[in-house]
């Protein structure tokens, strides 16, 4: 690893880590002029509105055009992340207090652009559609900008602000996309990029959209949504699920409407007419949150719907669209971490419940997930849950995309930060993010080692190369072969460095696949 990545470390060491921000020249965007700040060879613009505040009568409506301002607007601080109850142990804690007025983007670009039209990357954060935002320090886009990318991160409405249906809303705008206001925000932000990114030096004809967890699921949704066609040209999915009936499965609109009525009743609002909707729009924001976050969302399924199939923006699940070839045929990178749910120790009854669906193949499954015959059934459950929710669905969509002729690259992230190796048995959900963003110092501070920095430099370089050309290879990095079902090669971001190889988990993933709908059609 050290011999391969020395060049990355040398270039990293040359970056000025401490520098004083200086004002940047104003840039014209929708609504007026904005000025950012330059530091360390990067210019950033934070808190730039891409839509009007979705408050009052705009609650549960499609994002509206930006409200113009006069003079030059300072864009040097993050705006509010979207309204939520922050999750105490979030891997990416918010840097701003949440609020309902939250539809903003942040932009990073090289201070001295290496070319007139730079590739653009648009980041969609995770958080189960109820938590998260663009302000966490690990989402800083400076490393991408230093490698010649115009990087954009966005906020979108969450929880009951972002995903809410009600019969009165359906009657109010029956011909419009319904319920998925968070997804509508993402599309509005991508349209903002198309109109404005050239002003920052970006190429609107070379946009990569990427995200993790709920953000990765959002990318899959955008890849198959008819309303997002033409707004991006490459896609990266990090731990985003993808199997029909899996962890990201949307409800139907009718189901979501019933959930909306149930929530209204819990808030003391009866009926499904315009008066009920008016009362719902007047509820204080905190009354809509009502304790909803990643910890409590399972307990609030009767009053929170999450994303739904509305028939216009979301017309089908990603797997269904991919199997039928209805996805956007763009270069596609997808993967997951090797121990996604290692933070959830499972009691024996829970593991037995998971194994029950395998019937007579139960012993075969246990043998595949405990080859050393340790008898640690919690570990079997963690592996099975991680594979079923994230790892095997990523393989499925990689197979379908490559079979459709899309340049496809599959990865597994198994690297564990040096300071955590004594206690962590693998890479947990979201732990790839500070490496992909090359923000390991923001995550691990002085505990970040040279190996951590080297792996981060490599990961960031692969992601940037993919955004630039649709192929992550180049600059002497270990070769990452395109994925095919026949070769089944993945890039493993391991403690020993990035290594391509046939998927060593094929046998156990085949077992998961056998009981999850079968292999993709050939």
């Amino acid at each position: 690893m050290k011999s391969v990545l020395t060049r990355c470390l040398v270039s990293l060491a040359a970056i000025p880590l401490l520098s004083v921000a200086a004002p940047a020249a104003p840039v014209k965007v929708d609504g007026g002029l904005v000025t950012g700040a330059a530091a360390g060879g990067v210019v950033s613009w934070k808190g730039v509105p891409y839509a009007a505040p979705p408050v009052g009568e705009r609650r549960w409506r499609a994002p509206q055009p930006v409200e113009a301002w006069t003079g030059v607007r300072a864009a040097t601080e993050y705006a509010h992340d979207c309204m939520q109850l922050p999750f105490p142990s979030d891997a990416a804690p918010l840097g701003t207090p949440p609020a309902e007025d939250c539809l903003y983007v942040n932009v990073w670009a090289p201070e001295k652009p290496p070319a007139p039209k730079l590739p653009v990357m648009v980041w969609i954060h995770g958080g189960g559609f109820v938590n998260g935002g663009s302000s966490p320090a690990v989402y800083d886009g400076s490393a991408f900008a230093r490698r010649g990318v115009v990087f954009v991160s966005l906020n979108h409405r969450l929880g009951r602000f972002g995903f809410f249906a009600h019969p009165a809303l359906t009657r109010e705008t029956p011909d419009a996309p319904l319920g998925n206001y968070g997804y509508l925000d993402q599309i509005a932000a991508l349209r903002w990029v198309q109109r404005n990114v050239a002003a920052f030096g970006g190429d609107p004809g070379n946009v990569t959209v990427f995200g993790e967890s709920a953000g990765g699921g959002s990318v899959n949704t955008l890849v198959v949504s008819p309303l997002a066609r033409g707004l991006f040209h490459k896609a990266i999915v990090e731990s985003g699920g993808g199997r029909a009936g899996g962890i990201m499965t949307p409800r139907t609109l009718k189901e979501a409407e019933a959930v909306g009525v149930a929530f209204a009743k819990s808030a003391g609002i009866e009926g499904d007419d315009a008066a009920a909707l008016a009362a719902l729009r007047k509820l204080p924001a905190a009354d809509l949150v009502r304790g909803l976050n990643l910890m409590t969302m399972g307990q609030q399924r009767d009053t929170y719907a999450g994303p739904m199939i509305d028939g216009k923006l979301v017309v089908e699940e990603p797997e269904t669209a991919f199997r039928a070839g209805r996805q956007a045929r763009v270069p596609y990178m997808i993967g997951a971490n090797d121990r996604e749910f290692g933070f959830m120790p499972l009691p024996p009854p829970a593991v037995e419940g998971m194994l029950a669906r395998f019937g007579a193949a139960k012993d075969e499954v246990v043998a595949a997930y405990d080859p050393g015959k340790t008898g640690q059934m919690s570990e079997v459950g963690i592996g099975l849950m991680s594979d079923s929710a994230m790892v095997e669905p990523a393989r499925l969509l990689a197979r379908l995309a490559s079979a459709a002729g899309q340049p496809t690259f599959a990865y597994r992230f198994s690297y564990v930060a040096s300071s955590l190796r004594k206690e962590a048995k693998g890479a947990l959900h979201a732990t790839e993010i500070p490496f992909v963003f090359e923000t390991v110092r923001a995550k691990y501070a002085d505990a970040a080692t040279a190996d951590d920095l080297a792996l981060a430099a490599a990961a960031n370089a692969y992601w940037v190369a993919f955004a630039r050309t649709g192929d992550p290879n180049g600059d002497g990095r270990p070769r990452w072969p395109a994925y095919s079902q026949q070769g089944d090669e993945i890039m493993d971001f391991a403690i020993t460095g990035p290594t391509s190889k046939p998927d060593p988990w094929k046998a156990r993933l085949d077992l998961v696949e056998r009981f999850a709908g079968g292999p993709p059609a050939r």
Side-chain angles (χ1 to χ4, degrees):
M1 173 177 176
K2 290 174 181 168
S3 62
V4 172
L5 301 176
T6 299
R7 289 189 303 278
C8 296
L9 280 173
V10 170
S11 63
L12 185 71
I15 297 171
L17 296 177
L18 297 174
S19 53
V20 178
V27 173
K28 189 177 188 309
V29 296
D30 291 356
L33 295 171
V34 293
T35 186
V42 172
V43 186
S44 63
W45 298 263
K46 298 174 181 174
V48 180
Y50 68 86
V55 300
E57 288 301 308
R58 298 194 192 107
R59 181 184 283 176
W60 302 314
R61 295 185 191 275
Q64 301 298 303
V66 166
E67 298 171 340
W69 59 88
T70 58
V72 179
R73 179 181 183 128
T76 55
E77 303 288 339
Y78 290 110
H80 292 290
D81 291 311
C82 287
M83 192 62 189
Q84 62 190 278
L85 175 63
F87 180 50
S89 57
D90 199 323
L94 302 184
T96 66
E100 197 171 358
D101 175 4
C102 63
L103 300 187
Y104 299 88
V105 295
N106 315 292
V107 182
W108 287 261
E111 190 171 12
K112 296 180 179 179
K117 287 186 175 183
L118 301 179
V120 179
M121 298 184 75
V122 179
W123 169 250
I124 303 176
H125 67 79
F129 299 106
V130 296
N131 283 129
S134 64
S135 69
V138 292
Y139 297 161
D140 183 283
S142 296
F144 290 100
R146 289 189 184 104
R147 285 196 165 88
V149 165
V150 175
F151 182 89
V152 181
S153 62
L154 64 94
N155 289 338
H156 62 86
R157 282 172 280 183
L158 302 167
R160 297 185 182 95
F161 302 91
F163 301 94
F164 185 79
H166 191 275
L169 277 168
T170 303
R171 285 192 290 271
E172 182 181 67
T173 54
D175 298 323
L178 295 165
N180 295 305
Y181 303 102
Y183 285 151
L184 284 170
D185 295 342
Q186 294 173 13
I187 290 173
L190 287 168
R191 288 174 175 159
W192 183 93
V193 167
Q194 287 296 306
R195 294 191 304 271
N196 295 279
V197 80
F200 301 94
D203 180 0
N206 187 10
V207 175
T208 298
V209 62
F210 77 123
E212 182 271 342
S213 194
S218 295
V219 172
N220 277 333
T221 295
L222 294 169
V223 166
V224 303
S225 174
L227 299 189
R229 289 298 164 89
L231 297 179
F232 57 90
H233 313 93
K234 304 176 190 71
I236 303 173
V237 178
E238 302 174 26
S239 303
R243 266 219 182 259
I247 195 168
M248 302 280 183
T249 298
R251 300 196 189 192
T252 68
L253 181 60
K254 285 297 182 185
E255 289 170 340
E257 286 179 345
V259 170
V261 170
F263 169 75
K265 287 182 179 178
S266 74
I269 299 171
E270 299 287 340
D272 60 5
D273 57 7
L277 180 56
L280 283 164
R281 283 193 168 120
K282 290 178 182 176
L283 283 176
D287 288 357
L288 276 175
V289 175
R290 191 174 280 195
L292 178 67
N293 67 9
L294 278 166
M295 283 287 290
T296 64
M297 61 189 298
Q299 305 158 23
Q300 298 200 30
R301 282 186 57 80
D302 292 341
T303 58
Y304 168 63
M308 63 204 74
I309 296 177
D310 68 292
K312 291 185 171 62
L313 193 157
V314 182
V315 299
E316 57 191 342
E317 292 193 55
E319 179 187 347
T320 305
F322 271 71
R323 285 187 181 276
R326 288 190 285 266
Q327 76 275 20
R329 303 295 182 92
V330 299
Y332 188 64
M333 181 194 294
I334 188 167
N337 297 355
D338 73 337
R339 192 176 162 81
E340 292 275 355
F341 297 112
F343 55 85
M344 294 176 63
L346 297 171
V351 179
E352 285 300 320
M354 295 170 64
L355 290 169
R357 69 185 175 99
F358 292 94
K362 170 186 170 181
D363 291 343
E364 187 181 355
V365 173
V366 172
Y369 281 87
D370 185 20
K373 299 181 180 181
T374 65
Q376 295 180 5
M377 296 306 292
S378 180
E379 288 299 304
V380 171
I382 287 170
L384 187 55
M385 182 165 57
S386 299
D387 286 0
S388 298
M390 299 295 181
V391 180
E392 192 278 333
R395 186 182 75 164
L396 169 70
L397 293 186
R399 286 178 170 184
L400 293 169
S402 65
Q406 297 170 240
T408 304
F409 297 87
Y411 76 87
R412 181 94 24 83
F413 193 88
S414 59
Y415 188 88
V416 176
S418 302
S419 59
L420 301 179
R421 289 179 196 167
K422 289 183 179 179
E423 57 199 63
K425 298 178 181 179
L428 303 182
H429 190 64
T431 55
E432 88 285 358
I433 292 172
F435 295 92
V436 168
F437 277 71
E438 208 171 349
T439 51
V440 289
R441 287 194 187 278
K443 178 66 176 178
Y444 299 109
D446 292 341
T449 65
D451 278 355
D452 296 339
L453 296 174
L455 194 283
N460 188 261
Y462 279 116
W463 261 240
V464 167
F466 178 83
R468 184 175 291 119
T469 68
D471 185 332
N473 291 292
D475 297 329
R477 292 183 301 278
R479 182 175 172 272
W480 185 342
Y483 185 84
S484 70
Q485 181 169 341
Q486 292 71 32
D488 197 31
E489 286 190 82
I490 62 169
M491 177 63 85
D492 184 11
F493 288 86
I495 289 176
T496 53
T499 306
S500 64
K501 57 188 176 183
D503 193 340
W505 288 359
K506 182 182 186 305
R508 74 190 229 185
L509 297 182
D510 285 350
L511 280 170
V512 172
E513 176 188 78
R514 192 197 311 172
F515 292 87
R522 293 175 176 83

